[in-house]
Amino acid sequence: MTTSEIATVIGRRVWDSRGRPTVEAEIRLASGAIGRAIAPAGASMGSGEAVDLRDGGTAFGGYDLTRAVRSVNGEIAALLKGRDPRDQAGIDAALIALDGTPNKARLGGNAMIATSMALAHAAAAEAGEPLWRYLSGGGAIRIPVPEIQIFGGGAHAARRVDIQDFMVMAPGASSFAQALDWTAEVYRAAGLRMKKAGKLQGVADEGGYWPAFGSNEEALDELVAAIADAGFTPGPDIGISLDVAASEFGRNGRYRLTLDDSELDTEGMIDLLGRWLATYPILSVEDPLAEDDEAGFIEFTRRFGASCQVIGDDFLVTNAARVEKAAQKRSATAVLVKPNQAGTLTETKAALDAGKAAGFGTIVSARSGETEDVTICHLAVGWDAGQFKVGSFSRSERMAKWNEMLRIEESLGAEAVFSGKKALGVSKE
């Protein structure tokens, strides 16, 4: 065994931000270098995602994952021992073949992505480089624009409002650090407004305020007001980004809005979002239609793709083939990239690269069930994604990632380049 070969693979059960079990993988090389990573978990999930393998039964409400941990300590460890950690693509392909299912249901997508990310960390540690630099391979390095939740709704807040994420973006900032400064002021202003109005119910899964709004439009009004209260001009300084997560309340071309007690067809849903786009400084809309409504995505992108970013999340599930199809049909202008949706880093990067080839915006994203793991910060920089979505501006599983990105930006010094507004994907025709 050479010093760079994989000596040991360890899987363990750790805990995420919801107090649920998740999988951590640790890879130790013969040289002593170590790579470690933790799998996140989503709340609103696309049907095409890699399987988050759970035990079912009574333990922890069915969320235990002894089978996934056993996958890491058993078959995966046996497969990896003695291999070169720098062969990310080859090992990821071997993991996929070992699992043998189309959705990673046997070994578990959670077991596989934790292992795949730990592998990259181990290779970077062996090279003596931070992961972002190792992944860049000497290519372009930019610090991404952050997309930060202020109000949480949908599946992240017991459907208190229909829309899942009401976020802000500051592409006009001069640096990542300044973008966070601006967002901190908006987050504070929004909390003060809600407290004064008696509408603050706590925080949602991703740390955004859990609101008691009477309508989705009230959330948008309050967000615009919070931007202004913080001393910024809504639009030119700070814009709005929405994650509609329409698959959570829409199917077969019908959309049931709880707050409005109404049901819309595809055209009605597009018209509603169109009115919001005309009224509010919205820069980006994620999953405006349900994942089964491809025609709706195409029509929404045709009408609004030149003026706002149209992101596919549940619709594209970090899948390169789906991204390529979306580019051909012009059903989106950007792709959200979530490593655990794909199940391996190689597949994750393939989806991101397909987005870049299509001229799409690319956004590396966290999940609602997160941990202190900061791997995605390094992916966003090392792969030059341009945009970064983590959640809100509270809770340490979120702040760990914002703070890690600050460290990366600082380490680049004068070489740091902030992506800015040009990182957003919009239709070119």
Side-chain angles (χ1 to χ4, degrees):
M1 179 178 287
T2 66
T3 58
S4 64
E5 289 180 357
I6 296 170
T8 308
V9 179
I10 300 169
R12 63 173 64 93
R13 188 181 71 189
V14 295
W15 301 88
D16 72 11
S17 57
R18 295 194 186 102
R20 293 175 182 171
T22 189
V23 182
E24 179 175 71
E26 182 175 302
I27 294 178
R28 298 176 181 174
L29 306 185
S31 67
I34 295 175
R36 187 182 297 124
I38 307 175
S44 62
M45 295 184 286
S47 61
E49 292 195 23
V51 169
D52 184 50
L53 184 63
R54 302 284 173 167
D55 293 349
T58 58
F60 311 121
Y63 286 102
D64 207 357
L65 32 63
T66 60
R67 289 187 296 161
V69 172
R70 191 161 56 243
S71 292
V72 178
N73 286 320
E75 293 181 69
I76 291 175
L79 176 73
L80 267 60
K81 189 173 181 179
R83 298 194 65 150
D84 187 336
R86 294 169 295 184
D87 184 18
Q88 184 82 47
I91 293 176
D92 283 347
L95 284 170
I96 293 167
L98 179 66
D99 174 78
T101 69
N103 58 357
K104 301 173 178 64
R106 194 179 74 81
L107 296 175
N110 42 0
M112 292 173 67
I113 192 58
T115 301
S116 185
M117 294 192 302
L119 181 70
H121 280 287
E126 179 70 12
E129 295 181 322
L131 180 57
W132 61 266
R133 190 176 293 282
Y134 174 78
L135 293 173
S136 75
I141 292 292
R142 292 183 301 166
I143 302 299
V145 174
E147 191 176 359
I148 305 178
Q149 183 194 82
I150 304 299
F151 303 132
H156 295 170
R159 302 214 59 77
R160 190 60 189 82
V161 289
D162 296 297
I163 305 306
Q164 185 161 281
D165 292 328
F166 295 86
M167 299 169 285
V168 295
M169 301 180 76
S174 61
S175 66
F176 188 87
Q178 186 177 63
L180 291 192
D181 287 352
W182 291 7
T183 300
E185 296 289 5
V186 174
Y187 186 78
R188 178 174 174 273
L192 290 173
R193 289 185 62 86
M194 293 180 70
K195 185 176 181 180
K196 183 177 180 180
K199 295 186 175 183
L200 180 58
Q201 304 293 304
V203 296
D205 264 357
E206 295 191 356
Y209 294 115
W210 187 316
F213 295 139
S215 70
N216 296 298
E217 288 81 1
E218 184 180 359
L220 288 163
D221 290 334
E222 281 296 310
L223 188 49
V224 170
I227 293 170
D229 283 0
F232 303 103
T233 303
D237 292 336
I238 298 177
I240 293 173
S241 176
L242 299 178
D243 179 4
V244 178
S247 295
E248 290 295 305
F249 57 86
R251 187 171 297 176
N252 299 322
R254 306 299 300 180
Y255 297 88
R256 180 70 185 178
L257 297 174
T258 303
L259 283 185
D260 299 334
D261 191 25
S262 63
E263 184 171 295
L264 304 174
D265 60 11
T266 296
E267 183 178 0
M269 189 66 195
I270 292 173
D271 287 343
L272 172 65
L273 294 173
R275 289 193 294 273
W276 292 355
L277 288 168
T279 306
Y280 304 100
I282 297 171
L283 301 175
S284 181
V285 180
E286 180 180 329
D287 280 351
L289 288 307
E291 63 173 280
D292 65 354
D293 197 349
E294 182 184 53
F297 265 91
I298 292 170
E299 177 60 14
F300 185 85
T301 302
R302 185 190 68 80
R303 288 176 59 179
F304 305 114
S307 57
C308 84
Q309 179 171 249
V310 183
I311 306 173
D313 175 19
D314 293 344
F315 182 57
L316 300 178
V317 289
T318 314
N319 181 286
R322 293 193 185 202
V323 175
E324 290 165 359
K325 181 181 177 183
Q328 293 167 2
K329 295 200 169 187
R330 299 185 181 181
S331 55
T333 67
V335 55
L336 204 71
V337 175
K338 296 174 174 175
N340 80 317
Q341 278 186 332
T344 67
L345 283 191
T346 300
E347 291 167 288
T348 304
K349 188 172 188 295
L352 186 143
D353 287 345
K356 285 187 175 183
F360 279 16
T362 52
I363 308 102
V364 170
S365 175
R367 300 308 298 260
S368 53
E370 270 293 341
T371 70
E372 69 275 18
D373 188 285
V374 296
T375 303
I376 59 171
C377 303
H378 295 260
L379 303 183
V381 176
W383 292 346
D384 189 29
Q387 298 175 67
F388 190 47
K389 179 188 177 190
V390 166
S392 194
F393 209 67
S394 72
R395 300 183 48 151
S396 290
E397 77 277 2
R398 313 291 155 184
M399 304 313 295
K401 296 167 179 60
W402 301 133
N403 291 339
E404 181 73 356
M405 193 65 77
L406 285 174
R407 297 183 194 104
I408 295 172
E409 182 175 62
E410 181 184 88
S411 73
L412 283 164
E415 297 178 16
V417 176
F418 185 58
S419 295
K421 192 171 184 178
K422 61 181 176 293
L424 275 68
V426 294
S427 298
K428 304 299 188 292
E429 297 179 11

